[in-house]
Amino acid sequence: MLLGTLYWSAAEIDEVAAERQKGLATLIVSKIRSSVAHDQESATVWDDAVIKTKDRDQDWLDVNLGRWMNTYFSHDAAVVLSANGLPIYQYISKSASTASSEDLRLAYSPLAERLRERLAAGDQEGISDKVLSIGESDLTYVGKRPAVVSVKPIMSDTGEIEQQAGEENQHVAVRFLDRDFPSEIGNEYQFAEIQFTTEMPRDKRHSHIALTSKSGKVIGYFNWHPFEPGRRVLQATLAVIGLAVTGIFIAASLAGDAIWRRSVKLNSNRQELQHLALRDSLTGLANRTHFNSELEARLQKALPEDLLSVLFIDLDRFKGVNDTFGHPTGDKLISLVAVRMRDILPDALIGRIGGDEFTVFLERMKADDVAAIAEKIVVGLREPFEIDGAYGSIGASVGVAIATGANVDAVELTRQADIALYHAKAAGRNTYAVFGAHMDELLRTRRKLEHDLREALATGTQIEVVYQPVYFADSAGPCSLEALARWKHPELGPIGPDVFIPLAEEIGLVNKIGAHVLEDACSLIAVFPSISVAVNASTSELASAGYPLRVLSSLAKWGIEPARLEIEITESLAINSEEDTERNIAMLRGAGVRFAIDDFGTGYSSFSRVQNVTVDRLKIDKSFIAGMGEGRNSAIVEAIIKMARANGLQTTAEGVETNQQRDALKSLGCDNIQGFLMSRPIARSEVTALLQMAALTPSRAASSAAC
């Protein structure tokens, strides 16, 4: 009877343990299905994603919606679809190399079509404070491999970008459930010999769960050898059964302890899963969902006299670290930032809501103290970080919103902090700003200006190209032109390039302006074969993979020799250019296009560093030209001209406004001059008249390429 009781008890214990393991396995699969969709929302609910997808910016899509999703979330494949379901971009990792584009299409097409119908119908089912957009996901096969396939719309996070319902671009994420995935969860949650099989296991000694699609179709099974604490205890007990009741009692106690410990482990695993669902995996800080829910809860408990504050923190220059040193270094830097913020605010609610964006919630703290903390964050994150023995510096901009009393709206408070952050960036970054009522109006003005600039470029109106002639220092005739963009706003009148060019760079439109200026300039000089032209290039243009092809295509279209085009770049870009930029410059110079450093002398480079830069011309900044007629700055200008000549470079002096300046530059050997003394920037029609009237002499015409 004693042995029978032992066998029965062991069987019961093993059955309970097996059922608990099945419950845990089911929870893990459910978590994977929801987490893939949740991971997508970190990049799909984002204004930049809407804009870059619309612009078909392949480099941006590859970094943020493809490779980054694989590195950060272990997604095996990603596809970006247009509104009509055609692929815009596709990424397949090495682990998914057996999957073809057709395999992916067959898997995601039904989900994408169903999501498109729901979007068009205005369906909002499932959206909550934790789920930002509707989506469609299922367990299915991609080729011959089982996977979680999830489709999400690419939507604006601010609501400022207008999107037609059902016309949104879509993002597809794929996570395979075979090969490495079973071993990963087996190691993590102690499932012995776990594997994926397409057929139900026939070995009754194994436990299993079915993986079922939404339609009820079983796509496979996870099976494993179940944990058997009862059998193990029974085996140990049989060897010493003759030692009487005392030994049996001790063995039973050990069995109970083993069961208890296993129960504790299972419970701990459940708690860990819940914890991970609320935490950022890289930093351990609250993720966006947890921060927002915790903020809501704390605001509801606030008393009428409580002061409540939300801080938005955005890292400055972080993208440069990622682009230069790669995502692994960027991840280490993010982790160090989180540690430093916890040191500054050990008791505050801190969240990481994006790649380099953080939020902080402060309670019952005076406005002056909140401002002091914002300043402390700015100063603290300005200090260098040590990563793998090297030191790097970034910075931070902070937006602060403060409210008083109960019933404070969490969405409004975070919106105000976001607006304040925008103003901190506009003030030059590396500082903080506290929200004020006037900021709303300034933001609306800014948003309208952004909209108007987009419309101006889309319609091909308002943005005009003017030209400032460049002259030989010893001649009254023009030898080349500099093409400049101007914006004639229909309501606000002329808007200076110092306003709309930085705006265009920030919202990703500067490449379109550059293309417009280049096309207009090429069409003009095609009519005048003895004149050359200079255009300005932004940092983002020169870093773009397609920039050399765009330039050379425009030159070929208008039949222009590459040597007649000069591209002006900033001094800092010439000295500290990235690998892509250097490659593009080398490619264009190899084709014959010339390069010049604009506003030379205003950067931080030394003469010795500039000697190694591969350009053809230095344009001396007008700040050095001012006062030359009275003898000031002559030594500096002379040194620049001599250095340029020693390195085989041409020189152009900008901002020449008096005859004294012109005579001084001529005596110092400056090649060309440009400024209001000779001509202000003029319209295309005036340029045509000027060039027709001031025909170049044969000797000057032959050397115009050097101008």
Side-chain angles (χ1 to χ4, degrees), residues 289-588:
T289 300
H290 181 46
F291 182 88
N292 289 340
S293 62
E294 187 68 17
L295 176 63
E296 288 273 9
R298 297 193 186 188
L299 290 178
Q300 289 176 5
K301 296 178 183 178
L303 300 175
E305 65 274 13
D306 287 346
L307 278 176
L308 312 164
S309 307
V310 168
L311 282 64
F312 261 46
I313 300 144
D314 186 80
L315 302 184
D316 299 328
R317 302 187 299 278
F318 173 74
K319 185 179 183 299
V321 174
N322 252 357
D323 293 345
T324 303
F325 301 104
H327 284 303
T329 299
D331 287 348
K332 292 178 182 178
L333 179 57
I334 288 292
S335 298
L336 292 174
V337 168
V339 171
R340 194 168 291 183
M341 289 184 63
R342 277 194 291 259
D343 290 340
I344 296 172
L345 298 164
D347 301 320
L349 173 63
I350 307 174
R352 180 183 179 222
I353 61 170
D356 60 350
E357 295 177 323
F358 299 83
T359 49
V360 174
F361 176 64
L362 302 174
E363 299 177 90
R364 303 178 183 88
M365 191 172 290
K366 295 180 180 179
D368 290 344
D369 295 333
V370 175
I373 286 177
E375 175 66 21
K376 193 173 182 180
I377 292 172
V378 170
V379 173
L381 297 185
R382 190 187 302 152
E383 294 295 322
F385 292 86
E386 182 182 2
I387 305 175
D388 298 332
Y391 288 87
S393 296
I394 49 172
S397 300
V398 181
V400 181
I402 303 174
T404 305
N407 301 319
V408 174
D409 183 68
V411 174
E412 178 61 18
L413 192 60
T414 53
R415 186 187 74 86
Q416 291 177 1
D418 194 24
I419 292 173
L421 174 63
Y422 163 76
H423 282 270
K425 289 183 176 183
R429 302 178 184 269
N430 213 21
T431 186
Y432 74 92
V434 180
F435 177 81
H438 67 288
M439 291 184 177
D440 261 336
E441 181 59 35
L442 291 175
L443 183 63
R444 279 193 289 271
T445 301
R446 160 70 180 233
R447 296 297 190 206
K448 185 178 186 308
L449 205 60
E450 291 179 8
H451 173 270
D452 291 348
L453 183 56
R454 293 182 191 279
E455 185 176 6
L457 288 169
T459 59
T461 61
Q462 304 176 33
I463 303 298
E464 300 180 353
V465 183
V466 297
Y467 298 86
Q468 186 168 27
V470 180
Y471 293 76
F472 289 109
D474 57 354
S475 171
C479 62
S480 69
L481 306 165
E482 180 180 2
L484 304 166
R486 293 293 185 265
W487 184 10
K488 289 188 177 179
H489 194 283
E491 299 173 5
L492 303 177
I495 298 178
D498 58 326
V499 174
F500 75 86
I501 294 297
L503 176 64
E505 289 179 336
E506 190 170 327
I507 62 177
L509 294 178
V510 72
N511 290 12
K512 290 186 177 181
I513 294 177
H516 174 64
V517 172
L518 176 66
E519 185 71 9
D520 194 275
C522 289
S523 67
L524 175 62
I525 66 171
V527 183
F528 299 96
S530 297
I531 205 79
S532 60
V533 70
V535 298
N536 292 276
S538 68
T539 302
S540 62
E541 280 185 289
L542 279 169
S544 172
Y547 184 67
L549 179 60
R550 186 207 309 165
V551 172
L552 297 177
S553 296
S554 292
L555 293 173
K557 172 184 176 181
W558 294 99
I560 297 169
E561 289 294 324
R564 294 177 62 200
L565 175 66
E566 186 170 86
I567 298 175
E568 297 184 7
I569 61 178
T570 63
E571 184 176 335
S572 60
L573 181 61
I575 301 299
N576 303 309
S577 57
E578 303 289 346
E579 181 179 346
D580 292 342
T581 301
E582 291 180 352
R583 182 172 60 250
N584 288 345
I585 291 176
M587 187 182 302
L588 288 169

Side-chain angles (χ1 to χ4, degrees), residues 22 192-193 195 201 203-208 223-226:
K22 286 184 178 181
E193 304 171 8
Q195 60 182 329
D203 188 347
K204 294 184 178 181
R205 292 174 299 174
H206 280 70
S207 292
H208 68 273
N223 68 86
W224 65 92
H225 191 282

Side-chain angles (χ1 to χ4, degrees), residues 569 574 582 585-586 589 595-596 610-616 649:
I569 61 178
E582 291 180 352
I585 291 176
R589 293 190 86 241
F595 279 80
V610 173
Q611 293 180 48
N612 299 321
V613 177
T614 53
V615 295
D616 305 278
L649 306 180

